[in-house]
Amino acid sequence: MKAIGIITVLILLSFGFAKNQTKVKITNKSEVTIKGKSNVNSFECKYNSDFIENDLQVSIARNNNKILLEGAKLSIKSTGFDCAHKMITKDFKSILKAEEYPHIVINVKELNAVKENITAKLNVKIAGIEKEYLVPVTYNQTTNNVKGQLKLNIKDFKLKSPKKLLGMVVVNDNVEINFNLFLQYY
C-alpha cells in the first residue's frame, strides 16, 4: 500500500527528472503483501493490483539531497486484499474497518537520497487515522522496480486484532507491509 507511493517517488529520484511535473503509473505486475502472525500461525494477505485505480500527476521540487513531492498520493481499496482463506480475509477486512473506511491512503511527501540509500517520508491513513513513516527503499533503474518494507503496529491506527476460539488464538499487533512495484512513467 505505502509502497506504491514510495515507488513513484523513487523512480522520479533515480531518473533525475528536470521537469517539475511527471505522470507515473503503477503497473499490474506490482505486488503488495501484508504479513502477520498469531500465537498459532502466520498469514499473508495480497493486494489485487488490478484495483490500482489511478495514474499519479506528481510535482517535484529539489532541495539538496531531498526531493519534495506533491500529488504522490495513492488511494487503495481496503477490500482489495485476499488472505488465501475466506475467514482470515473476512477478519482482515474487519480489522481495517473496510466498510466504514473503504480506502487506505498513502501520500509520499519526500525522498531523501544519500549515496545509494533512499528513504521515503510518507503519510499513511488507515481507518481515518494518519501516521508518518520513514521507509528505506531500493530502486532498480533497469526494471523500473521499487521495493521496500514498512513495519507498523495496528494499534497506531486504533485498530484491534481479532481473538478467536474464546481468546486462545490471538493475532499479533505488528505487521509487515512488503511492496514490489513496477512503474511506468510518461
Side-chain angles (χ1 to χ4, degrees):
M1 301 179 286
K2 297 161 187 125
I4 294 171
I6 293 171
I7 293 174
T8 302
V9 174
L10 290 175
I11 290 174
L12 298 173
L13 175 64
S14 298
F15 285 94
F17 282 90
K19 298 179 185 177
N20 286 339
Q21 287 200 348
T22 191
K23 213 177 216 184
V24 179
K25 178 181 178 119
I26 299 156
T27 72
N28 62 3
K29 281 181 23 179
S30 302
E31 298 175 335
V32 177
T33 59
I34 297 179
K35 294 181 179 184
K37 294 181 181 179
S38 72
N39 59 337
V40 176
N41 208 347
S42 61
F43 64 90
E44 179 177 278
C45 300
K46 294 183 179 184
Y47 187 71
N48 182 343
S49 60
D50 291 337
F51 288 151
I52 297 172
E53 299 172 342
N54 50 342
D55 294 345
L56 303 172
Q57 185 73 34
V58 181
S59 296
I60 305 160
R62 293 179 188 263
N63 183 1
N64 297 326
N65 4 342
K66 290 183 182 179
I67 296 178
L68 306 174
L69 304 167
E70 285 184 32
K73 189 176 204 177
L74 185 68
S75 178
I76 62 173
K77 293 183 179 184
S78 300
T79 57
F81 290 92
D82 183 1
C83 304
H85 186 277
K86 191 175 184 177
M87 289 305 294
I88 295 173
T89 300
K90 181 181 173 188
D91 287 345
F92 185 72
K93 291 175 184 177
S94 174
I95 290 170
L96 292 177
K97 301 179 183 178
E99 286 189 25
E100 187 177 350
Y101 300 97
H103 290 91
I104 296 167
V105 179
I106 299 133
N107 188 5
V108 182
K109 303 301 280 180
E110 75 181 44
L111 295 173
N112 192 352
V114 178
K115 295 183 182 179
E116 299 286 321
N117 300 317
I118 303 170
T119 303
K121 180 179 182 179
L122 52 103
N123 291 346
V124 177
K125 188 173 184 179
I126 301 173
I129 306 289
E130 190 169 336
K131 297 289 178 183
E132 184 176 274
Y133 294 94
L134 293 175
V135 180
V137 294
T138 60
Y139 177 72
N140 181 321
Q141 188 171 350
T142 305
T143 60
N144 293 331
N145 177 238
V146 178
K147 291 183 182 181
Q149 179 183 82
L150 172 64
K151 295 180 180 183
L152 59 84
N153 187 312
I154 63 171
K155 286 184 177 178
D156 291 343
F157 298 93
K158 298 186 180 176
L159 301 174
K160 295 180 184 174
S161 59
K163 294 180 181 177
K164 298 293 180 182
L165 297 174
L166 301 173
M168 293 176 62
V169 178
V170 180
V171 176
N172 190 310
D173 292 330
N174 296 307
V175 296
E176 286 179 8
I177 300 171
N178 296 292
F179 54 93
N180 182 18
L181 304 174
F182 292 88
L183 305 172
Q184 185 177 40
Y185 51 97
Y186 43 100

